C-alpha cells in the first residue's frame, strides 16, 4: 500500500472510530428534532406550572388517563382504556391499562392514579382549578379508578386530556421537603411514564429529552427532542433556513413569506383557538374604573393592527370564547372600534381629562413588541402615556400571575376544548389565570352555573350572558384570534396539528427524513 493510500485509510478508520464513540454503533447519530423558541422553561412539575413552554415538555414526559389525538373532536385513550359516566354526571369510572411503568420502575395502577390526583389537589396550584369539582377518588380494583364529583361538570372528560392532570407516581414523595409534595425536586427532574424523559437541562440555553425505548405505547422514532432557547427572532429564522434547527417558533409575521418561498422549508397553516388580549390591573387606579378600560378599547385601531402587524395571519375577535367554539355570541364582534372622541369623554368622566401614565409589560414573544409600540401610539392620541418594559418569559409570567402588571398582553390556547377554559379559567375570582384580578360574585355565579350543567344548550346561554357582561366591564381588550403558523424543515415528518393541543407538538409521533 502506498503511503498516500495508507494515510487515507488511517484517517478513514479514525473517522469511523470517532463516529462510533460519539454517534453510536456504525456512526448512526441520534435521530433528533431541534425546536427553537423564545419561551424559556422553568418548571416541569405538571401539577404546578401553567406555562405553555413547560407544558410542551410535560406532555412528552408524563401520560394522562386520556389524550388529544389528530382529531380535535374526539378524546383518545391513554393510561385509561375506557370510561363511562353515570346518568346524573356525578360518577365517572375509568378502566386502566396494566402495562405502563414510570422511569423509576413504578408500575401504574389505580392506586398510583389515585395518589396523583390527590397530589394535584394537595398542591393546589393553578392546574388544579378544573379538578376542584372532585369530591372523592376511589381505587376499588387494581385497574379501576372512580371519581365522585360534587356536582355535574360538563367538560370533565375533556379536562382528562389536559397536561394538568398527568400522572405522577407516589415515589415522588421520597423527595418531599417540608410538605411540598416533592415540588422542589420535580421542578427540574422527570418521573413520568411517557415516551420521553429528561436527559439534560442547561437553564436558559437548552433542554434535551431522550426517548424511552421500552415505552408501553411503543418506542418513539426520534431518539431525542432538543429545545433551544434563542431570544432573537432573526436568529431563529436564519438557523431554520440554514438547517441547524428543524422547527422555529415565534417567527415574525413579516418573515413568513421568505420562509414559505425558501427551499426545504414549509409553514404549516391552520385555524386556531389562540386568542390574544390586553389585560389590566383592575384592583388599582386607573384601571379599576371600567370607563378607563373602555377608553382603551375605543382608542385602538384593530383592523390596522391586524393588517399592519399580523399581515392577514389573524382575524378580528371579541369575547371570551374563540371563533369556531360553541358558547360565543358573534353579535359582539366589531362593537369596539377606534372612536377617539368617545375614548376622551370616558377618560374625562373617570377623572383623567389629561390622561395618565402607565407601564405596558411584555415578554420577547413573536410580535408583542410591535403590538406594544402600536398600542403606545394609539393611547397617546387620547392622552395616555405608555412606558414599555420587557422581561424574560418566566419573569413576565411570574409578574402576571402575581398581579404585578398594570397593562399587559397575553395569548391563550385551550387546555381543553370547552368554553369553560376561556371563561371560568380566565375570569373566575378563584382562578390563578384571572390576570386582571377582577372579583365579582355575579361572574362567579354565571361561570359556576355553566360548569354545573350537563346540557350544552343551557351552558351555551350562560356563556353568552357572560360574553355581554365581559363586554360591558372590559376586563380585557381582545385584539385578534390567530391563524396557526408553524415553520419547519420539510424533512420533519409525522407532524399534525390539533387546535385543542396548541402549542403541544406531537414529537412522539414524528421522525426525520433528511
Amino acid at each position: 500500500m502506498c503511503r498516500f493510500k495508507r494515510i487515507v485509510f488511517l484517517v478513514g478508520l479514525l473517522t469511523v472510530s470517532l463516529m462510533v464513540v460519539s454517534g453510536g454503533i456504525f456512526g448512526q447519530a441520534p435521530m433528533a428534532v431541534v425546536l427553537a423558541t423564545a419561551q424559556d422553561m422553568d418548571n416541569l412539575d405538571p401539577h404546578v406550572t401553567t406555562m405553555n413552554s413547560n407544558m410542551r415538555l410535560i406532555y412528552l414526559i408524563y401520560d394522562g388517563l386520556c389524550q388529544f389525538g389528530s382529531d380535535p373532536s374526539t378524546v383518545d385513550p391513554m393510561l385509561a382504556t375506557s370510561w363511562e359516566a353515570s346518568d346524573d354526571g356525578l360518577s365517572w369510572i375509568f378502566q386502566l391499562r396494566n402495562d405502563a411503568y414510570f422511569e423509576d420502575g413504578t408500575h401504574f395502577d389505580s392506586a398510583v392514579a389515585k395518589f396523583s390526583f390527590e397530589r394535584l389537589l394537595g398542591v393546589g396550584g393553578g392546574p388544579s382549578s378544573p379538578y376542584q369539582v372532585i369530591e372523592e377518588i376511589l381505587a376499588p380494583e387494581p385497574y379501576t379508578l372512580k371519581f365522585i364529583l360534587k356536582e355535574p361538570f360538563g367538560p370533565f372528560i375533556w379536562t382528562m386530556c389536559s397536561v394538568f392532570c398527568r400522572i405522577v407516581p407516589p415515589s415522588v414523595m421520597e423527595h418531599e421537603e417540608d410538605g411540598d409534595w416533592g415540588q422542589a425536586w420535580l421542578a427540574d427532574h422527570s418521573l413520568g411514564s411517557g415516551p420521553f424523559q429528561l436527559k439534560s437541562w442547561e437553564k436558559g440555553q437548552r433542554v434535551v429529552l431522550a426517548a424511552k425505548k421500552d415505552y408501553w405505547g411503543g418506542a418513539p422514532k426520534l431518539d431525542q427532542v432538543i429545545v433551544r432557547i434563542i431570544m432573537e427572532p432573526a436568529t431563529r429564522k436564519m438557523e431554520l433556513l440554514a438547517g441547524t434547527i428543524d422547527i422555529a417558533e415565534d417567527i415574525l409575521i413579516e418573515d413568513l413569506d421568505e420562509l414559505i418561498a425558501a427551499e426545504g422549508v414549509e409553514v404549516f397553516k391552520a385555524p386556531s383557538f389562540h386568542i390574544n388580549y390586553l389585560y389590566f390591573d383592575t384592583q388599582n387606579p386607573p384601571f379599576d374604573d371600567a370607563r378607563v378600560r373602555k377608553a382603551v378599547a375605543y382608542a385602538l385601531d384593530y383592523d390596522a393592527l391586524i393588517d399592519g402587524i399580523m399581515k392577514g395571519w389573524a382575524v378580528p375577535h371579541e369575547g371570551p370564547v374563540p371563533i369556531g367554539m360553541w358558547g360565543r355570541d358573534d353579535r359582539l364582534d366589531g362593537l369596539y372600534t377606534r372612536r377617539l372622541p368617545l375614548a376622551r369623554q370616558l377618560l374625562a368622566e373617570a377623572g383623567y381629562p389629561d390622561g395618565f401614565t402607565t407601564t405596558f409589560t411584555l415578554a420577547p414573544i413573536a410580535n408583542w413588541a410591535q403590538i406594544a409600540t402600536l398600542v403606545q401610539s394609539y393611547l397617546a392620541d387620547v392622552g395616555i402615556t405608555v412606558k414599555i418594559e420587557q422581561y424574560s418569559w418566566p419573569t413576565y409570567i411570574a409578574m402576571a400571575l402575581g398581579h404585578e402588571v398594570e397593562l399587559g398582553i397575553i395569548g391563550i390556547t385551550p387546555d381543553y376544548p370547552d368554553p369553560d377554559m376561556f371563561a371560568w379559567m380566565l375570569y373566575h375570582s378563584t382562578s390563578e389565570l384571572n390576570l386582571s384580578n377582577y372579583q365579582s360574585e355575579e361572574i362567579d355565579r354565571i361561570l359556576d352555573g355553566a360548569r354545573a350543567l350537563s346540557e350544552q344548550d343551557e351552558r351555551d346561554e350562560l356563556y353568552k350572558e357572560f360574553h355581554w357582561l365581559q363586554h360591558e366591564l372590559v376586563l380585557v381588550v381582545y385584539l385578534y384570534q390567530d391563524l396557526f403558523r408553524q415553520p419547519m424543515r420539510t424533512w420533519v415528518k409525522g407532524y399534525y396539528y390539533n387546535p385543542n393541543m396548541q402549542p403541544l407538538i406531537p414529537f412522539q409521533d414524528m421522525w426525520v427524513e433528511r
Side-chain angles (χ1 to χ4, degrees):
M1 180 181 297
C2 71
R3 184 182 180 190
F4 174 75
K5 289 184 178 180
R6 178 176 176 80
I7 292 174
V8 172
F9 173 77
L10 291 175
V11 170
L13 182 61
L14 177 60
T15 301
V16 171
S17 300
L18 288 175
M19 290 174 66
V20 170
V21 172
S22 63
I25 189 167
F26 303 125
Q28 295 178 354
M31 182 187 290
V33 165
V34 181
L35 166 71
T37 179
Q39 302 179 37
D40 201 356
M41 293 72 66
D42 69 347
N43 193 312
L44 296 183
D45 189 334
H47 299 163
V48 172
T49 185
T50 56
M51 274 175 47
N52 284 342
S53 55
N54 296 326
M55 290 160 58
R56 175 191 293 116
L57 301 186
I58 291 169
Y59 175 78
L60 300 171
I61 295 170
Y62 295 90
D63 293 321
L65 297 182
C66 307
Q67 63 181 331
F68 296 123
S70 57
D71 184 345
S73 66
T74 62
V75 174
D76 291 345
M78 202 173 197
L79 290 176
T81 57
S82 63
W83 49 86
E84 60 179 347
S86 60
D87 291 339
D88 61 7
L90 294 176
S91 174
W92 287 79
I93 297 177
F94 291 78
Q95 301 302 323
L96 310 179
R97 63 183 316 113
N98 61 8
D99 58 350
Y101 291 85
F102 295 83
E103 293 175 34
D104 64 352
T106 298
H107 179 226
F108 172 73
D109 59 15
S110 59
V112 170
K114 180 176 185 293
F115 163 81
S116 187
F117 278 91
E118 290 173 344
R119 181 181 187 269
L120 169 64
L121 295 170
V123 169
S128 71
S129 296
Y131 310 98
Q132 298 295 334
V133 71
I134 296 173
E135 178 73 34
E136 189 175 9
I137 309 165
L138 304 171
E141 296 178 6
Y143 300 103
T144 300
L145 186 68
K146 184 175 183 179
F147 295 97
I148 306 298
L149 307 187
K150 300 172 185 176
E151 55 193 12
F153 181 36
F156 185 71
I157 191 60
W158 291 105
T159 69
M160 288 292 130
C161 300
S162 169
V163 294
F164 293 159
C165 64
R166 295 282 157 145
I167 304 300
V168 174
S171 51
V172 71
M173 298 301 284
E174 297 173 8
H175 306 281
E176 184 182 30
E177 297 180 4
D178 301 322
D180 74 341
W181 292 88
Q183 289 182 61
W185 182 83
L186 203 61
D188 55 11
H189 292 78
S190 66
L191 193 57
S193 64
F196 291 87
Q197 65 187 53
L198 183 63
K199 179 180 180 181
S200 63
W201 188 352
E202 301 171 52
K203 298 293 178 70
Q205 299 295 321
R206 72 173 60 211
V207 173
V208 179
L209 301 185
K212 289 157 60 175
K213 300 305 181 183
D214 58 351
Y215 178 55
W216 62 264
K221 294 179 181 178
L222 292 174
D223 297 309
Q224 293 181 351
V225 172
I226 301 171
V227 180
R228 290 178 54 195
I229 310 304
I230 301 177
M231 302 307 295
E232 292 298 324
T235 305
R236 293 193 296 273
K237 181 191 73 171
M238 294 308 298
E239 290 215 31
L240 183 66
L241 289 170
T244 53
I245 62 174
D246 303 299
I247 304 175
E249 286 191 331
D250 301 318
I251 293 294
L252 296 179
I253 295 294
E254 56 264 32
D255 289 334
L256 290 176
D257 286 344
E258 180 183 354
L259 293 177
I260 290 172
E263 184 178 356
V265 176
E266 63 179 333
V267 178
F268 184 89
K269 177 181 180 180
S272 83
F273 289 148
H274 186 259
I275 58 179
N276 299 266
Y277 58 88
L278 306 180
Y279 62 95
F280 310 95
D281 175 7
T282 64
Q283 295 299 306
N284 295 291
F287 297 121
D288 59 339
D289 192 316
R291 292 169 296 187
V292 174
R293 302 192 297 267
K294 281 187 179 181
V296 172
Y298 282 122
L300 304 186
D301 188 333
Y302 303 91
D303 290 336
L305 187 150
I306 291 173
D307 294 339
I309 294 181
M310 298 306 295
K311 310 292 185 184
W313 287 82
V315 294
H317 167 76
E318 167 61 30
V321 180
I323 299 167
M325 185 177 289
W326 64 271
R328 80 185 310 269
D329 195 327
D330 296 334
R331 293 174 296 175
L332 286 168
D333 293 340
L335 293 187
Y336 281 117
T337 57
R338 184 166 167 83
R339 300 170 63 185
L340 297 183
L342 180 54
R344 295 188 187 103
Q345 176 186 330
L346 288 165
L347 287 174
E349 291 175 358
Y352 301 98
D354 300 320
F356 55 85
T357 298
T358 189
T359 300
F360 191 133
T361 309
L362 69 154
I365 303 301
N367 300 79
W368 281 8
Q370 294 170 286
I371 293 171
T373 300
L374 200 56
V375 169
Q376 182 185 53
S377 173
Y378 291 151
L379 296 187
D381 291 338
V382 295
I384 300 175
T385 300
V386 176
K387 298 184 296 183
I388 299 174
E389 293 183 355
Q390 180 170 290
Y391 297 89
S392 70
W393 177 246
T395 299
Y396 173 69
I397 288 298
M399 294 175 67
L401 295 175
H403 305 300
E404 300 171 13
V405 174
E406 287 183 309
L407 175 63
I409 182 173
I410 200 71
I412 187 75
T413 55
D415 296 310
Y416 47 93
D418 189 280
D420 180 81
M421 172 65 216
F422 293 91
W424 197 100
M425 292 291 284
L426 302 185
Y427 296 97
H428 197 278
S429 63
T430 64
S431 175
E432 181 185 46
L433 297 182
N434 178 4
L435 301 185
S436 287
N437 199 24
Y438 191 81
Q439 308 292 304
S440 167
E441 292 183 3
E442 182 180 10
I443 290 177
D444 289 355
R445 175 189 60 78
I446 294 172
L447 300 183
D448 286 337
R451 272 194 159 190
L453 295 171
S454 56
E455 293 296 327
Q456 181 170 313
D457 289 345
E458 297 178 18
R459 297 181 68 213
D460 185 77
E461 288 302 315
L462 285 177
Y463 287 125
K464 287 179 178 177
E465 178 184 350
F466 174 62
H467 263 55
W468 286 97
L469 183 57
Q470 142 62 24
H471 177 79
E472 183 63 25
L473 292 172
V474 196
L475 304 180
V476 308
V477 173
Y478 289 98
L479 300 177
Y480 55 83
Q481 183 170 329
D482 287 73
L483 291 175
F484 178 72
R485 51 204 181 272
Q486 184 65 82
M488 65 182 72
R489 299 295 307 195
T490 55
W491 56 57
V492 175
K493 306 298 182 181
Y495 175 84
Y496 59 84
Y497 170 71
N498 183 330
N500 298 327
M501 55 188 279
Q502 184 182 345
L504 308 179
I505 298 176
F507 288 111
Q508 73 281 2
D509 297 322
M510 294 165 59
W511 69 97
V512 173
E513 291 181 5
R514 294 183 184 274

